[in-house]
Amino acid sequence: MEQRIWIVLLLLIQIVVHGQSPEMVFEPPSPDFISLSLQTHEGELRFGNQDEYFLKSDGTYFKLGDDGYFETDKRSSHNRASRHAFVELLKMRFKKEMFNAMDKTYFTERKQNMYEEEIKSHTAQQHTLTLANALCNKKQSIRLFCNPKEEDCTSAFPKDGYYNEPRNIKGWGGRGASEFQKLRAYTTFVEELFPSVEQWADTLYPDNTLEGYYVVKVQLEQYDFKAGGYWFHTHQFHNRGFLLSWYDLQPANSSERKLLHPNGSSLLLPMAPDKAEDFSEKHQQIFLVFKVSVSLNGLENYRADQLKTTFSLSSPVITIYGDDALTKKVAEMDIGSVEIKTR
């Protein structure tokens, strides 16, 4: 049985190459849901800063009207929707108790005084709405979230090739839906589609461990003639990206602990002045890539709905690229030997 499960997993995950960057595609358990297309680096998932897609290989950006603009725009739309849906699926394994308490027949109304089971049911129903918006394809979305009596279902949803934006949460039954329409849409999803969503979630990294690369973007600051190189300040690492934040790092040695100094720290990329001048003309921002192992550690709490993650470094080598597609390698640093200063 276990062998059969892994065979199914291999069939549902594939690497697809789009232009410069291969992506890992997670096929849904049925055509009622969207596929999930996530960015990769060297065949493994890419966390943190993401490829924005619109930077061409020659350093210029796609503009409206350029050949390939709409294909790139659709790909970007799919990736944004995929990242959101992927995280929602990962969170489901930590919500089983809450979903078990969910009333699948009627809405649990929010009241001033509620029992714990009622709170769980109400919260689970809100999360179910988020899942349905994130995962359903256009046909199912129209079925669940459009009220033809009040709106044009064709224009109310993204054009073919585009996906629902994560922040756009439509209500059950659509605009102006009656209580009967809302309940009918909710129970339809719960009875017909929710079991497949639960099964899909259980197949994604069931050991709660993911391998991949964590990417941070930094601005190239002024050259330090005295030190003979460029300093990269860790305060620039703290912008949260896909799945991980720099604060999630679990240091394993003294060098890694320096990187998490509470006052911030800086890493030196040594470079001769003559090379640095040419380097600064070509690169205003660069991308640091860390090989990492990620652990999923539950939720902050079921009301906050924030996935807790930590990661450790799988290699001391930091690879540096000059483009967000990570195709133009410019340097490497070893955390064990690089100069690190703290403030």
Side-chain angles (χ1 to χ4, degrees), residues 258-274:
K258 282 185 180 180
L259 296 178
L260 288 178
H261 192 279
N263 295 329
S265 56
S266 302
L267 300 83
L268 180 68
L269 175 64
M271 190 176 296
D274 56 334

Side-chain angles (χ1 to χ4, degrees), residues 9 12-13 26-27 36 85-90 93 197 199-210 296:
L9 283 175
L12 294 180
I13 302 174
F26 298 79
E27 296 294 344
L36 308 184
F86 182 74
V87 173
E88 290 301 318
L89 285 170
L90 291 181
R93 69 198 62 198
V197 173
Q199 292 173 7
W200 191 9
D202 287 340
T203 67
L204 297 176
Y205 303 96
D207 63 350
N208 294 328
T209 301
L210 297 78
L296 307 177

Side-chain angles (χ1 to χ4, degrees), residues 138-270:
K138 185 175 181 179
K139 179 180 178 181
Q140 290 298 330
S141 294
I142 290 175
R143 180 188 179 203
L144 298 170
F145 304 122
C146 186
N147 179 9
K149 297 179 181 179
E150 296 287 339
E151 54 190 325
D152 179 0
C153 294
T154 301
S155 61
F157 291 83
K159 296 179 180 179
D160 290 344
Y162 287 92
Y163 294 78
N164 188 48
E165 289 292 328
R167 63 180 178 273
N168 183 21
I169 305 297
K170 295 181 179 293
W172 297 116
R175 188 175 65 197
S178 68
E179 65 271 32
F180 304 101
Q181 291 172 302
K182 292 177 181 178
L183 185 61
R184 185 159 52 246
Y186 167 69
T187 55
T188 295
F189 178 79
V190 169
E191 293 172 5
E192 297 181 13
L193 302 176
F194 188 69
S196 295
V197 173
E198 288 187 301
Q199 292 173 7
W200 191 9
D202 287 340
T203 67
L204 297 176
Y205 303 96
D207 63 350
N208 294 328
T209 301
L210 297 78
E211 303 296 327
Y213 291 87
Y214 178 59
V215 183
V216 296
K217 178 173 70 174
V218 299
Q219 299 297 319
L220 191 67
E221 300 189 3
Q222 285 191 337
Y223 182 78
D224 187 331
F225 286 94
K226 185 175 181 180
Y230 288 104
W231 291 102
F232 301 143
H233 304 293
T234 56
H235 70 265
Q236 294 193 63
F237 298 4
H238 290 163
N239 292 332
R240 186 172 184 88
F242 173 48
L243 200 66
L244 297 180
S245 165
W246 181 248
Y247 294 111
D248 299 331
L249 173 62
Q250 303 296 296
N253 53 53
S254 58
S255 296
E256 293 179 13
R257 283 191 287 274
K258 282 185 180 180
L259 296 178
L260 288 178
H261 192 279
N263 295 329
S265 56
S266 302
L267 300 83
L268 180 68
L269 175 64

Side-chain angles (χ1 to χ4, degrees), residues 325-341:
L326 308 182
T327 62
K328 300 176 181 178
K329 180 179 174 180
V330 296
E332 282 187 353
M333 293 191 296
D334 189 304
I335 294 174
S337 58
V338 69
E339 183 178 349
I340 302 175
K341 67 177 182 180

Side-chain angles (χ1 to χ4, degrees), residues 3-55:
Q3 183 178 7
R4 185 186 305 170
I5 292 174
W6 281 110
I7 291 173
V8 171
L9 283 175
L10 290 172
L11 291 174
L12 294 180
I13 302 174
Q14 55 180 310
I15 299 293
V16 176
V17 178
H18 293 288
Q20 299 178 49
S21 304
E23 298 196 356
M24 188 176 294
V25 177
F26 298 79
E27 296 294 344
S30 86
D32 295 319
F33 308 110
I34 65 171
S35 64
L36 308 184
S37 185
L38 301 179
Q39 294 178 15
T40 65
H41 178 61
E42 296 188 353
E44 295 188 327
L45 288 174
R46 172 175 174 167
F47 309 113
N49 182 270
Q50 299 287 289
D51 182 350
E52 296 180 1
Y53 294 111
F54 287 90
L55 182 64

